Amino acid sequence: MSATDTNQRAPKTNTSARTAWRHRLAERGMDRQLLLLIPGLACVLALFVYPFAYGIGLSFQPAQGGVFGAYREFFTDAYQRDTIATTLGLALPAAILNVAASVPIAYRMRGRFRGKRLLTTILVVPITLGTVLTAEGLLNYLGPAGWFNRALMATGLTGEPVRLTNNYWGVFFSLVITGFPFAFLLILSYLSGIDPTLERAAATLGAGRGQRFRRITLPLLAPGLATTFCLTFVLAFSVFPSAVLVGDPAGTTRVVSIAAYHAAYEAYDYPLGSAIAVVMGVVELVVVAVVLGLRSLLYTGATGGKG
Amino acid sequence: MSGFSELRLDGVRRRFGGRDALAGLSLTIRRGEFIALLGPSGCGKSTALNCLAGLLPLSEGSIWQDETRLDTVPPERRGFGMVFQNYALFPHLSVRRNVSFGLQMRRLPRDEVRRRTDEAISLVRLEDHAAKLPGQLSGGQQQRVAIARAVVLEPALVLMDEPLSNLDAKLRLEMRTEIRRLHQSLGLTTVYVTHDQEEALSLADRLVVLRDGRVEQIGTPQELHNRPANRHVADFMGYRNLLPMRVKAVHGATVTVDGAGVSLDGTAIGPVGAGDEVVAAIRPEDLRAGPHGVPVTVEVVEYQGREFAVEARTGEGVALHLRALERPAPGERITVTAAPSRVLVFPT
């Protein structure tokens, strides 16, 4: 009798021990649902992490010049090195303008009013167009025989067409047109996350319109502006199609991505191409780190709104 | 802007999408008075407060501070302090900077800003928390910061929009006493919006009862408590028994009413004649179990500390709310009476 008793009890204690162990794991967030992560994780590893690591590795294996040969080649050649300054010269002003232009427009549009949806749609349409269509539009509109120049000449403001395409300005306009909707949408959502009664409270305390914006809304919005700036900057920094289509890809708008493309697919120097891509990433990271470092000095807590 | 002898609202009306949120509020506020705007939600009391603060433009009417027209002055130039329902503290500024914000907006000398800020913070006893951000404070502390921020400017008028509604019951009582104490010591003219009749009765010198954007009655707490002007005010002031009845006889101010198997003597408020349909209003605490009176059957008994709240039903099924000193058993038959002076009879 006693023998069968122990036989029956043994599996029971076993199961309960296993259940307890499973409970302890579940408390730390480890359960079978974790298996659902596997397909996503596999994709990330195979399509992003591995090629990324491979590219970094490749950049340290040039045909000549040792481990840092490709980097040395990039930084010693002024034609290559200057692409960083060219790209920053395009991306920083474009990102700043996009953020700066979005703030007043989003500020005016944060309440409810008739036709808000239509206006938002119009402002957001450029996202859906893509850079190529934007570039084509710019060429047609701002080009030497475009409506803009014809209008200028018809009114007698200039004698000859103003050059606004196939140079710095063409790329800059393209970056503003495609980057503005992102900045605007982000800032609008940050602004509607700020409780509107805060400004009303400031008004009852004697703050005028300008003071209310400067002392209440702007400090609460600033962290959002920093984040928005980082995102639009990264978008603008990797400019490639518009730099080629509406820019001057051999001269004033020879951006980093063009340099990388040339190295890899025209000179077939993969290590140099990879090195340029790595340099590009590091420059972006430095700018983002500086901006986020400044952001961390600001108040980043709750803003009382609907989030 | 500080110091006025009276503030006059003259037919203040505010429409939202064709509907009157506030229909013609006329009220004179004397200096140092504590006025409560009382009414259920959606009655227009917050609209009235926002109109006074200048946060909502008027659709019609005017607001006068002595001989100065005020309703065209923007909020930042009215010099009124306001305490918001959700406190509206600036989340990125410390308690000290929140309180000193208004003083800095007035470009007062630095010494004066520091001195008055310190005074206001110690007035609400938050000296230990002056350097904290609002998010690090409890609800009651945030409330006190909001009050300090509003009173530090020694405003001509303090506006409070349901300031206690987000606090728990115990804290609400404490803050209520605190607000009354502040009013007594600073003598600031105050307009206080609430839906809680007990809060309004205990705080205010005068009450304005609003319903559907209209003034139902203006009076002292005693007047409203004892002589509500109509059945709606009575309902709001805690006259829980509102019995539809018919007048049987009138003897001067005393009328005899009956209906639903109950016959009562009461006091007429307004003109009533024999045969009129009326509403008899009685507070539960004025309806007592006694040896004579209306026979009722006890249904529900709630313990309320000092006494019991009883819901009973008459023979014809009309529910009555009353108080009893001893616990009656459910199902027990008792008789209840009310003094004729405490039974108010309103024409319908």
Side-chain angles (χ1 to χ4, degrees):
Chain A
M1 273 298 258
S2 65
T4 43
D5 259 13
T6 36
N7 277 347
Q8 275 171 354
R9 211 178 290 131
K12 242 187 227 162
T13 35
N14 223 337
T15 350
S16 70
R18 203 158 57 225
T19 325
W21 182 67
R22 201 175 288 153
H23 268 281
R24 279 210 305 279
L25 281 180
E27 269 172 15
R28 293 183 171 79
M30 310 259 265
D31 53 25
R32 255 181 247 167
Q33 285 173 25
L34 278 181
L35 296 178
L36 293 172
L37 283 176
I38 288 175
L41 219 54
C43 281
V44 169
L45 281 171
L47 300 177
F48 176 70
V49 175
Y50 174 71
F52 184 70
Y54 186 84
I56 291 178
L58 205 59
S59 74
F60 292 113
Q61 298 160 34
Q64 63 228 15
V67 177
F68 295 106
Y71 292 93
R72 206 176 296 123
E73 192 184 335
F74 177 79
F75 282 107
T76 48
D77 182 354
Y79 184 60
Q80 300 281 44
R81 190 178 57 219
D82 289 351
T83 55
I84 294 178
T86 307
T87 319
L88 285 175
L90 273 167
L92 285 175
I96 290 169
L97 180 70
N98 281 336
V99 171
S102 300
V103 173
I105 298 173
Y107 190 65
R108 289 295 302 164
M109 286 185 57
R110 76 201 150 129
R112 286 155 169 255
F113 58 87
R114 226 172 241 274
K116 177 172 178 171
R117 185 179 292 187
L118 180 73
L119 195 53
T120 315
T121 311
I122 290 171
L123 287 169
V124 164
V125 156
I127 290 187
T128 61
L129 293 182
T131 36
V132 177
L133 199 61
T134 312
E136 200 176 314
L138 276 172
L139 284 174
N140 281 326
Y141 177 67
L142 291 177
W147 296 347
F148 183 74
N149 270 315
R150 270 190 281 167
L152 278 185
M153 287 195 289
T155 53
L157 283 169
T158 73
E160 57 189 59
V162 181
R163 241 179 90 81
L164 290 171
T165 53
N166 299 107
N167 61 3
Y168 177 85
W169 292 109
V171 184
F172 184 76
F173 289 137
S174 162
L175 288 179
V176 169
I177 290 168
T178 47
F180 174 79
F182 281 105
F184 169 74
L185 282 183
L186 277 168
I187 289 172
L188 187 63
S189 81
Y190 278 116
L191 260 176
S192 50
I194 297 174
D195 181 3
T197 39
L198 295 180
E199 277 207 26
R200 289 148 60 97
T204 63
L205 292 168
R209 199 176 284 273
Q211 284 169 315
R212 295 202 289 269
F213 179 76
R214 211 171 54 246
R215 315 235 351 201
I216 306 300
T217 308
L218 194 58
L220 292 174
L221 184 62
L225 293 185
T227 311
T228 309
F229 173 83
C230 287
L231 287 172
T232 41
F233 168 75
V234 168
L235 274 175
F237 195 80
S238 55
V239 55
F240 184 76
S242 56
V244 175
L245 294 168
V246 281
D248 169 19
T252 50
T253 70
R254 191 174 130 78
V255 292
V256 183
S257 52
I258 294 180
Y261 177 81
H262 277 197
Y265 299 109
E266 285 175 14
Y268 296 108
D269 185 350
Y270 290 125
L272 180 61
S274 302
I276 296 174
V278 170
V279 167
M280 188 173 158
V282 168
V283 172
E284 282 179 345
L285 281 177
V286 166
V287 171
V288 169
V290 167
V291 173
L292 293 186
L294 292 175
R295 179 185 184 271
S296 70
L297 303 176
L298 304 167
Y299 170 82
T300 52
T303 49
K306 57 187 159 80
Chain B
M1 273 278 191
S2 67
F4 60 89
S5 61
E6 64 175 35
L7 194 83
R8 213 164 65 248
L9 283 78
D10 197 1
V12 170
R13 181 186 291 266
R14 171 69 205 189
R15 277 196 205 88
F16 284 116
R19 219 188 104 261
D20 274 338
L22 188 65
L25 170 64
S26 294
L27 173 71
T28 303
I29 302 165
R30 288 182 291 273
R31 182 176 186 165
E33 224 180 354
F34 197 122
I35 301 266
L37 301 181
L38 178 64
S41 62
C43 72
K45 55 195 194 297
S46 289
T47 308
L49 201 71
N50 282 318
C51 286
L52 257 175
L55 298 170
L56 268 182
L58 312 188
S59 303
E60 250 174 64
S62 53
I63 301 173
W64 298 81
Q65 177 172 306
D66 294 330
E67 294 315 309
T68 321
R69 184 160 180 176
L70 211 62
D71 54 284
T72 48
V73 176
E76 61 267 25
R77 294 194 23 233
R78 291 195 190 189
F80 295 166
M82 182 147 174
V83 178
F84 291 81
Q85 188 170 8
N86 64 355
Y87 318 140
L89 298 179
F90 307 133
H92 60 302
L93 300 180
S94 66
V95 169
R96 165 171 286 282
R97 301 269 310 280
N98 260 285
V99 174
S100 65
F101 186 86
L103 297 168
Q104 282 166 349
M105 288 299 115
R106 304 214 167 162
R107 303 182 188 288
L108 295 174
R110 189 167 298 189
D111 294 351
E112 193 183 343
V113 170
R114 188 177 310 134
R115 181 178 55 77
R116 284 173 67 175
T117 307
D118 285 340
E119 275 173 19
I121 289 175
S122 64
L123 190 70
V124 294
R125 290 172 306 198
L126 283 175
E127 296 93 333
D128 299 340
H129 305 282
K132 288 186 184 168
L133 289 177
Q136 296 166 291
L137 302 180
S138 69
Q141 289 167 337
Q142 290 186 21
Q143 178 61 75
R144 300 218 291 270
V145 178
I147 291 172
R149 188 177 68 174
V151 303
V152 71
L153 296 166
E154 290 166 19
L157 181 66
V158 181
L159 306 164
M160 296 195 180
D161 190 0
E162 308 219 15
L164 305 184
S165 62
N166 285 343
L167 302 178
D168 62 58
K170 183 169 171 289
L171 210 51
R172 195 150 55 218
L173 280 180
E174 281 173 21
M175 286 307 296
R176 199 164 89 188
T177 315
E178 204 66 27
I179 288 172
R180 188 67 209 177
R181 191 204 315 281
L182 273 174
H183 180 253
Q184 279 170 8
S185 59
L186 301 177
L188 296 170
T189 317
T190 308
V191 176
Y192 185 102
V193 159
T194 180
H195 64 263
D196 182 340
Q197 43 109 0
E198 209 183 299
E199 213 170 281
L201 287 172
S202 63
L203 282 171
D205 300 322
R206 272 199 303 157
L207 278 74
V208 179
V209 181
L210 292 165
R211 185 173 152 264
D212 290 339
R214 281 165 215 288
V215 176
E216 295 279 320
Q217 189 174 5
I218 301 179
T220 64
Q222 289 80 1
E223 281 166 9
L224 265 88
H225 192 264
N226 296 327
R227 292 299 287 262
N230 57 45
R231 51 162 301 193
H232 300 296
V233 180
D235 186 14
F236 207 70
M237 297 314 292
Y239 288 76
R240 230 182 137 191
N241 299 299
L242 294 168
L243 311 170
M245 294 181 131
R246 187 183 291 277
V247 178
K248 208 158 75 178
V250 182
H251 321 281
T254 311
V255 290
T256 308
V257 291
D258 69 355
V262 180
S263 182
L264 288 166
D265 283 344
T267 309
I269 311 279
V272 293
D276 285 0
E277 300 280 344
V278 292
V279 171
I282 315 163
R283 290 176 177 282
E285 49 273 37
D286 289 329
L287 201 57
R288 292 275 171 190
H292 315 289
V294 180
V296 292
T297 309
V298 174
E299 282 202 337
V300 183
V301 182
E302 293 168 44
Y303 177 62
Q304 293 199 329
R306 213 171 257 278
E307 52 188 6
F308 296 91
V310 179
E311 187 182 314
R313 223 167 260 282
T314 65
E316 298 207 0
V318 176
L320 288 176
H321 300 276
L322 59 130
R323 298 277 189 273
L325 289 172
E326 282 161 35
R327 180 188 279 274
E332 191 181 333
R333 291 185 65 80
I334 54 171
T335 52
V336 295
T337 52
S341 64
R342 302 306 309 140
V343 178
L344 305 182
V345 177
F346 297 103
T348 46

